[in-house]
Amino acid sequence: MNSRGRISLLVWITTAIVIVTGSGFCQTSKSRVTAKSPLNQARSELARRDLNSAEASVWKVLSSDPNNAEALLLLGVIRDEQQRYSEAEAVLQRAAQLDPKLAAVHIYLGKTYLSENKLPQSVEEYKQAEDMEPNNVEVRVTLARLYAASGEFASALTTLKAIPPARLPEEALPVKVASLLATGNADEAGKIADSVRNPAMNLALAEVFLRSSLPQEALKMIGVAEASGKRPPPRFYFIKAEALDAAGQQSAALQNFQKAIDLQPSSQEFLLGEAELYAREGKHEQAYEVLQRAYKNDPTSPTVLRPLILEASFAGKGTDVQDAAEQLAKSDDPKDLFIAASVFLKSTRQDEAIPLLQKYLEKYPDDPSAWVGLGLGYEDQKKFPDAQKAFERALQADPKFAEAEYQIAVIADLAGNSSLAMQDYEKALAMDPNHLHLLTKLGKLYMQAGQFEKAREVLVKAEAVDPDDRQTEYALALVYSKLGNREEARVHMERFQKKGPIGATEKK
């Protein structure tokens, strides 16, 4: 199952844990305390999400009995609700030490670990809870979901099969179908899906089929949900759009993405889905426009910033994402630093780009593109020896990386070493015969060396690569003149003059 599929499973896990922790905790608690106890009062306050009052009630017990496992359990629940996960973990571990048989402690520890993205630890806690309460259906269903999220689909099926069929809740069907599909039992999965007539569950199963690369089965489930006549939620159109996209129906997919976004304009997931489709179709300006909307909703999300910067570059709007690059530069992910650095390099912000590339290369020292980027930063700062070393490191990482060889030639050219530059340009040309700037620079060196026929050959190739490049037309006019071909010289000079002022189409 792909990463997005596992994310969906985690959504179901979180939902299930709310049910499990509520029912399991209350069952444990009612047998141990009286209705008027401070702990019962804390439970009532917690149910109303009055966390401050609940904590005050818990401390009435802990102040005189600091080793009360029930009170520590409640305090751990409160800390978890406050998203103070490390404190919740510590408190719940203490409660587990004091009362190893308190199943609710392990349930809440599992929930807390999941909130901290500690999936293996969460699985272990729910396994302990299952051992203590083998008849607790909710615990087993959640454990199955955790197994599935870990890619352990066979274990997920074994856990679900331990539940008597009459007691298996409908909410467990998505994870059962996902596990059956992952273990090669598509026929059984299809039979279960065909028996469901709950629109919400049909949609959940459609997503399972979609993440299992079965778009036609997903569309079938969507059709069943649609036939119910009930008003679909925004996510219905999103899942339908993704299924249509996967089935090759991009136009219909875009229509459904837009329906989902119209109903829930702030959904990052919906906006990113539509932008991804536009990008794959080469419609980078539309993708960039959609991503700008996502960026306005959340200007700090790396999930938005990464494609925003990339699509801005493709759409020719790389200078418009300076703020986004600055935000992404704060990320701890080295790959984000590389993306931010690419924006800074294009905006002559080398002082900011260079340290980001250095940090990235500490993690990924064999990335030739990053070494070239670092070399360009040094080159713009006139630090040519450092630039040379960076370009050479790029060639060490990839001996056939034409851009690195080309940049080495540029340094030799700038230093006035035409002979060495010519050799390096020729090496780069063998690696990339269609490198426009390489062809034009090599053509000029050939002309300077009086090798006019060679100059003509490479400049004709340059013209074929980019017929609108003004510099190439001017150079061809000169070389044909040197070769005595006045008619061709005149033709290229006219083309040069018609292409507008210098810099109109010229690339750096």
Side-chain angles (χ1 to χ4, degrees):
M1 181 172 290
N2 61 25
S3 60
R4 186 173 285 181
R6 292 191 182 183
I7 290 170
S8 300
L9 284 170
L10 287 174
V11 171
W12 299 329
I13 290 165
T14 305
T15 303
I17 285 174
V18 172
I19 298 170
V20 173
T21 50
S23 59
F25 172 73
C26 291
Q27 290 170 1
T28 304
S29 309
K30 286 179 180 178
S31 64
R32 299 194 178 199
V33 296
T34 62
K36 295 182 180 180
S37 73
L39 293 184
N40 249 6
Q41 182 68 26
R43 288 188 191 88
S44 297
E45 291 159 344
L46 186 57
R48 298 194 302 269
R49 296 196 59 80
D50 184 355
L51 300 183
N52 291 333
S53 298
E55 184 170 349
S57 297
V58 168
W59 280 113
K60 289 178 183 178
V61 177
L62 290 175
S63 59
S64 59
D65 185 5
N67 291 325
N68 187 304
E70 291 273 0
L72 288 169
L73 167 58
L74 263 179
L75 182 59
V77 173
I78 292 166
R79 291 289 180 261
D80 182 86
E81 291 291 329
Q82 293 169 333
Q83 298 184 8
R84 295 160 63 176
Y85 300 122
S86 59
E87 295 177 47
E89 183 182 327
V91 171
L92 291 168
Q93 286 174 342
R94 175 63 178 156
Q97 290 174 349
L98 292 168
D99 190 346
K101 295 183 180 180
L102 194 57
V105 171
H106 296 286
I107 292 170
Y108 264 100
L109 256 178
K111 179 180 182 294
T112 299
Y113 281 134
L114 191 62
S115 298
E116 296 177 295
N117 294 316
K118 298 177 178 179
L119 190 55
Q121 293 91 325
S122 184
V123 169
E124 289 304 313
E125 294 301 327
Y126 272 93
K127 284 170 66 176
Q128 291 190 55
E130 181 193 35
D131 290 341
M132 295 176 188
E133 296 186 358
N135 295 320
N136 190 322
V137 172
E138 291 87 353
V139 167
R140 275 195 163 145
V141 170
T142 303
L143 179 58
R145 287 175 166 135
L146 290 167
Y147 276 135
S150 303
E152 299 179 41
F153 295 103
S155 296
L157 282 176
T158 300
T159 302
L160 291 174
K161 287 179 180 178
I163 302 172
R167 296 189 64 200
L168 185 69
E170 191 175 46
E171 291 76 15
L173 294 183
V175 71
K176 185 171 184 178
V177 169
S179 300
L180 287 167
L181 291 172
T183 53
N185 296 294
D187 290 342
E188 186 179 351
K191 290 177 183 177
I192 292 173
D194 289 341
S195 69
V196 175
R197 288 297 180 270
N198 177 337
M201 194 54 56
N202 290 137
L203 182 59
L205 290 170
E207 189 162 3
V208 169
F209 283 119
L210 179 61
R211 306 311 173 206
S212 300
S213 300
L214 296 168
Q216 296 300 336
E217 287 79 356
L219 288 170
K220 181 180 176 182
M221 285 291 100
I222 288 168
V224 174
E226 203 165 17
S228 71
K230 294 185 179 181
R231 185 178 181 180
R235 189 166 185 82
F236 169 87
Y237 295 105
F238 172 72
I239 297 301
K240 185 176 182 180
E242 291 213 312
L244 287 166
D245 183 19
Q249 301 179 50
Q250 278 68 42
S251 179
L254 281 171
Q255 292 175 11
N256 281 274
F257 273 130
Q258 196 54 58
K259 286 181 181 179
I261 293 168
D262 288 343
L263 291 170
Q264 197 170 325
S266 62
S267 171
Q268 183 183 109
E269 185 179 19
F270 297 176
L271 291 166
L272 288 173
E274 184 178 49
E276 181 184 341
L277 176 51
Y278 275 132
R280 279 190 280 106
E281 291 194 321
K283 299 176 179 178
H284 299 295
E285 287 198 13
Q286 292 94 322
Y288 178 61
E289 289 174 5
V290 174
L291 289 165
Q292 279 184 305
R293 293 172 60 183
Y295 176 61
K296 288 177 181 177
N297 292 333
D298 188 353
T300 63
S301 170
T303 307
V304 174
L305 294 169
R306 294 174 194 129
L308 175 72
I309 292 172
L310 182 63
E311 292 306 310
S313 177
F314 283 131
K317 301 179 185 294
T319 58
D320 296 345
V321 288
Q322 300 297 312
D323 292 343
E326 290 172 7
Q327 188 63 48
L328 196 59
K330 300 174 184 177
S331 172
D332 293 328
D333 187 336
K335 293 182 180 179
D336 291 340
L337 303 184
F338 178 74
I339 295 171
S342 68
V343 176
F344 294 152
L345 281 175
K346 292 176 183 177
S347 307
T348 63
R349 297 171 64 176
Q350 285 76 12
D351 287 345
E352 295 166 271
I354 287 172
L356 296 180
L357 288 169
Q358 289 171 333
K359 288 182 182 179
Y360 171 81
L361 286 164
E362 288 175 4
K363 181 70 174 178
Y364 301 100
D366 295 325
D367 186 334
S369 296
W371 283 112
V372 166
L374 184 62
L376 290 171
Y378 285 135
E379 186 179 309
D380 286 344
Q381 292 181 332
K382 311 299 183 187
K383 298 179 179 178
F384 297 117
D386 290 333
Q388 177 89 13
K389 290 177 182 177
F391 297 140
E392 288 172 353
R393 283 295 304 271
L395 281 176
Q396 289 176 15
D398 182 358
K400 295 183 179 181
F401 193 37
E403 188 63 28
E405 191 66 62
Y406 166 71
Q407 294 298 341
I408 288 174
V410 169
I411 290 178
D413 204 351
L414 290 171
N417 193 337
S418 300
S419 177
L420 180 59
M422 191 182 297
Q423 292 176 21
D424 289 329
Y425 281 136
E426 288 171 342
K427 288 180 184 178
L429 185 62
M431 300 174 189
D432 184 1
N434 296 316
H435 193 304
L436 175 65
H437 307 311
L438 194 165
L439 289 165
T440 55
K441 288 181 181 295
L442 183 56
K444 289 177 183 178
L445 284 183
Y446 282 146
M447 280 196 292
Q448 291 171 11
Q451 301 179 42
F452 301 121
E453 184 55 37
K454 282 189 174 182
R456 186 195 66 79
E457 289 177 4
V458 295
L459 289 170
V460 167
K461 290 180 182 178
E463 185 184 37
V465 172
D466 186 356
D468 294 323
D469 186 73
R470 197 162 185 266
Q471 282 187 325
T472 301
E473 296 299 337
Y474 183 74
L476 277 169
L478 292 179
V479 76
Y480 276 117
S481 177
K482 293 291 186 182
L483 289 169
N485 191 335
R486 294 183 179 180
E487 180 58 26
E488 283 294 333
R490 182 187 61 78
V491 169
H492 289 287
M493 184 57 71
E494 287 178 356
R495 290 178 185 173
F496 165 74
Q497 292 170 342
K498 288 179 180 179
K499 293 184 185 298
I502 293 175
T505 60
E506 182 180 330
K507 296 180 182 178
K508 292 183 179 180

